[in-house]
Amino acid sequence: GGLHSFMQWDRSLLTDSGGFQMVSLLKLAEITEEGVKFQSPHDQSDMLLTPEKSIEIQNSLGADIIMQLDDVVHSLTTGPRVEEAMHRTIRWLDRCVAAHKRPREQSLFPIVQ
């Protein structure tokens, strides 16, 4: 199954980790070392997206290129928060690599934005 079958697409696919979406949910989200805690916009239930869960979801989707979960800051952010996000993103990369179950089939791309 996976995305290739669902989409009837035999070429490369890339999935995103969900990190960029954190910026749009920032009013509903709290970023911690554990991951991103947020309220579902659908039913307001509490959710947690960890680096491991992001990789697990992307592994199951079967994309050819998967992205690490990163701590994304708004483009106008300056100062210590930017440095904090960069260092957390690097720590999260280590967790993503450890959680990645399909390294021969899926390329894991790091990102700092």
Side-chain angles (χ1 to χ4, degrees), residues 6 8 17 19 27 30 33 59-61 74 78 91 99-100:
F6 177 75
Q8 298 180 5
S17 65
K27 291 179 182 166
E30 175 189 356
E33 195 62 34
N59 280 165
S60 68
L61 290 172
H74 190 278
T78 60
R91 291 189 300 273
H100 189 18

Side-chain angles (χ1 to χ4, degrees), residues 1-22:
L3 283 178
H4 289 90
S5 293
F6 177 75
M7 295 175 62
Q8 298 180 5
W9 183 257
D10 65 353
R11 297 183 183 191
S12 296
L13 289 172
L14 179 147
T15 51
D16 187 35
S17 65
F20 183 77
Q21 289 75 14
M22 290 187 321

Side-chain angles (χ1 to χ4, degrees), residues 2-112:
L3 283 178
H4 289 90
S5 293
F6 177 75
M7 295 175 62
Q8 298 180 5
W9 183 257
D10 65 353
R11 297 183 183 191
S12 296
L13 289 172
L14 179 147
T15 51
D16 187 35
S17 65
F20 183 77
Q21 289 75 14
M22 290 187 321
V23 172
S24 66
L25 291 174
L26 222 43
K27 291 179 182 166
L28 303 173
E30 175 189 356
I31 302 165
T32 68
E33 195 62 34
E34 185 179 12
V36 184
K37 298 175 185 178
F38 61 96
Q39 282 190 327
S40 167
H42 300 290
D43 64 6
Q44 283 68 51
S45 64
D46 290 334
M47 304 184 81
L48 175 65
L49 181 62
T50 64
E52 295 83 3
K53 186 65 176 175
S54 174
I55 295 299
E56 177 188 334
I57 292 167
Q58 293 180 87
N59 280 165
S60 68
L61 290 172
D64 303 286
I65 300 167
I66 63 176
M67 303 299 291
Q68 79 160 100
L69 183 63
D70 56 324
D71 182 351
V72 180
V73 295
H74 190 278
S75 61
L76 299 177
T77 303
T78 60
R81 176 65 184 104
V82 174
E83 187 173 346
E84 173 191 35
M86 178 191 68
H87 289 295
R88 179 174 288 132
T89 293
I90 293 167
R91 291 189 300 273
W92 282 1
L93 175 59
D94 291 335
R95 292 171 55 189
C96 288
V97 169
H100 189 18
K101 304 294 187 213
R102 301 177 64 189
R104 286 185 158 55
E105 300 148 2
Q106 295 175 297
S107 297
L108 173 59
F109 280 31
I111 187 168
V112 177

